[in-house]
Amino acid sequence: MQDHTLYSRGGIITERDADYATVRLRVPAGVLSAAQVKQLGKISEKYGDGSLHLTMRQTVEIPHVNPDNLVKIAKALEKNGTPIGAEQNEVVNIMACPGTERCKYANCETIDLARKIDERVFGKELPIRLRIAISGCTYMCNSPLLNDIGIIGRIRPLRVPGLCTGCGTCVEYCKQCAIALKNGVSVLDESKCVQCGICIHSCPYHLLKSEYAHYQITVGGRRGDSPAPGRELVTVETEEEVIEVIDRIVYWVYRTAWSGRPLADQMDEIGYDKFAEGIRKEFGPEVPAAE
């Protein structure tokens, strides 16, 4: 007998052949141990077609599952630490780049932050589907700007007068052409700087320092046939503040958004300034607006 309650969960996706389902998993930041991967292979061989599908949202799907086996596969996945995920009108799998653990360009840790956000908001039922992505730097390899909520690690470079040797390394590495050599020292054009921190990382003499390490939070990004980048909402300095802001945005969506329309469309319809004002009221004046 089928468990229709289980079948209605977002991580259970009816296939084109409605006699079968694909099971999507919950894998925050897309990180799995080798042991978990091996066990997923065994679960797929037993209950699916023996294959695993890696999705663009850093999770895993087990295709071609007989719905009669959903209870068994759900128990096996829970035991493996890879429970059934989300795909309907809810907070879906949290994406993250490797962050400071492995990437030389990253300005912030991302994987543990993704797990903390997952613990707070994953799977919450909402009027719309909500996608969240974290990038450790402004290169944004996992496209946080095209997600409903994007989190981007940034640092503002600090130049101490009299220390620059004029070697030009930071000029060469800056992709924004925001740095130039003038009178033998590097000069930063603030209007072009995106606070990526590459000049800091590239300085061979370690003369450039970080003045302000922070997270830029954007909202209203959209993929699909009408892609649009998210807009700056706030900047915060700690992981705790990031999690609190995310929680308040999710609560605002739960309480205020209407179903059937992406968040980006709703922001356009009500006006971004009004939307941002409503969001900021949720977490108070202590969180600054984006610069």
Side-chain angles (χ1 to χ4, degrees):
M1 181 178 178
Q2 294 183 16
D3 185 337
H4 292 285
T5 301
L6 181 60
Y7 196 90
S8 67
R9 290 179 57 180
I12 308 300
I13 305 167
T14 303
E15 295 182 5
R16 185 164 187 154
D17 180 350
D19 289 335
Y20 293 93
T22 291
V23 179
R24 180 169 293 187
L25 311 184
R26 177 182 182 179
V27 188
V31 178
L32 293 166
S33 68
Q36 286 176 314
V37 173
K38 290 178 182 177
Q39 188 60 28
L40 287 178
K42 294 178 181 179
I43 293 171
S44 179
E45 288 176 346
K46 185 173 183 179
Y47 297 111
D49 65 357
S51 70
L52 296 172
H53 176 210
L54 304 182
T55 77
M56 63 163 291
R57 291 211 63 81
Q58 298 181 334
T59 185
V60 178
E61 292 178 344
I62 300 177
H64 220 55
V65 172
N66 186 328
D68 291 338
N69 293 323
L70 285 178
V71 172
K72 294 177 182 178
I73 196 172
K75 290 180 179 178
L77 290 171
E78 193 74 39
K79 184 177 180 180
N80 191 45
T82 53
I84 292 175
E87 179 54 21
Q88 295 182 6
N89 288 341
E90 50 199 339
V91 179
V92 299
N93 205 60
I94 313 298
M95 293 174 59
C97 71
T100 50
E101 181 178 329
R102 286 183 281 129
C103 181
K104 62 183 179 180
Y105 299 115
N107 298 318
C108 67
E109 192 284 327
T110 58
I111 293 174
D112 189 53
L113 177 58
R115 289 172 175 150
K116 291 176 181 177
I117 295 173
D118 168 273
E119 185 178 354
R120 179 74 74 92
V121 301
F122 175 84
K124 287 195 173 183
E125 294 185 9
L126 301 170
I128 58 175
R129 186 179 305 163
L130 203 68
R131 301 173 178 89
I132 302 172
I134 309 167
S135 177
C137 75
T138 60
Y139 285 162
M140 299 182 278
C141 297
N142 57 348
S143 305
L145 285 179
L146 296 181
N147 283 255
D148 298 292
I149 302 174
I151 302 146
I152 304 157
R154 305 194 306 182
I155 50 177
R156 181 187 298 151
L158 173 65
R159 283 163 166 71
V160 180
L163 293 183
C164 180
T165 66
C167 72
T169 302
C170 59
V171 178
E172 180 181 351
Y173 275 87
C174 180
K175 293 186 176 182
Q176 307 299 321
C177 298
I179 310 172
L181 285 180
K182 295 183 180 180
N183 299 322
V185 297
S186 66
V187 178
L188 176 68
D189 184 343
E190 295 278 0
S191 67
K192 294 181 180 179
C193 179
V194 296
Q195 303 183 45
C196 66
I198 296 302
C199 59
I200 297 173
H201 302 315
S202 66
C203 180
Y205 304 107
H206 308 291
L207 299 179
L208 295 175
K209 306 299 179 182
S210 171
E211 182 181 23
Y212 175 47
H214 59 283
Y215 303 86
Q216 176 192 39
I217 300 179
T218 64
V219 291
R222 177 175 55 205
R223 294 184 182 273
D225 58 357
S226 301
R231 307 185 214 186
E232 292 179 304
L233 179 66
V234 294
T235 58
V236 296
E237 298 183 33
T238 68
E239 286 191 351
E240 291 72 22
E241 288 174 315
V242 171
I243 295 167
E244 186 64 24
V245 170
I246 299 302
D247 187 62
R248 297 299 182 179
I249 294 173
V250 170
Y251 178 67
W252 185 94
V253 171
Y254 172 77
R255 195 186 64 179
T256 308
W258 56 90
S259 60
R261 298 283 301 282
L263 181 59
D265 289 353
Q266 298 190 39
M267 284 172 46
D268 290 341
E269 197 158 316
I270 67 174
Y272 174 72
D273 291 339
K274 183 177 180 180
F275 165 85
E277 181 183 358
I279 289 287
R280 292 190 185 108
K281 284 181 179 178
E282 294 293 342
F283 46 72
E286 68 277 3
V287 177
E291 299 178 346

